Amino acid sequence: MRGGHVVIAVTGAVDWATADALRATALREIAAGAGRLVLDFSFMSFWDSSGIGAVAAAYRSATHIGASVALAGLSPTLEKRYRLTGMDRVVPLHRDVCAALAP
């Protein structure tokens, strides 16, 4: 699928034990030709710097080939943590997947 939209739904916690799986999945989808990758965090309960690092790795890989990455559905607490890192100025955050996929 060259240039298509891909949504990865993330559940539970993204931390040192699970961030590598998220990173690998995101990088695999980007390498397969996703033009826009949306990480749906609607059902994510926790993340730490490892999870944010996985997002950063996906962003770097995507921009290298002209693709994009967006986040959707962070809870207010996790959104605050994300905004504190400044990453929201690099990888946009949307209230839900529909908003992230809108042109």
Side-chain angles (χ1 to χ4, degrees):
M1 162 198 345
R2 273 276 161 223
H5 301 311
V6 173
V7 177
I8 298 174
V10 180
T11 61
V14 179
D15 56 17
W16 66 271
T18 59
D20 283 342
L22 173 59
R23 180 181 295 107
T25 300
L27 296 180
R28 183 175 55 248
E29 293 296 340
I30 291 164
R36 181 159 184 85
L37 178 67
V38 176
L39 301 173
D40 179 8
F41 291 148
S42 300
F43 298 100
M44 184 176 66
S45 58
F46 173 82
W47 71 343
D48 63 12
S49 60
S50 302
I52 294 170
V55 170
Y59 169 79
R60 284 190 304 274
S61 180
T63 57
H64 183 69
I65 62 167
S68 65
V69 176
L71 304 185
L74 279 172
S75 71
T77 301
L78 298 179
E79 178 180 340
K80 181 178 179 182
R81 182 174 294 162
Y82 183 66
R83 291 189 187 282
L84 285 172
T85 68
M87 282 287 295
D88 61 307
R89 293 185 295 266
V90 178
V91 179
L93 175 62
H94 302 275
R95 76 179 174 282
D96 56 35
V97 172
C98 289
L101 293 174

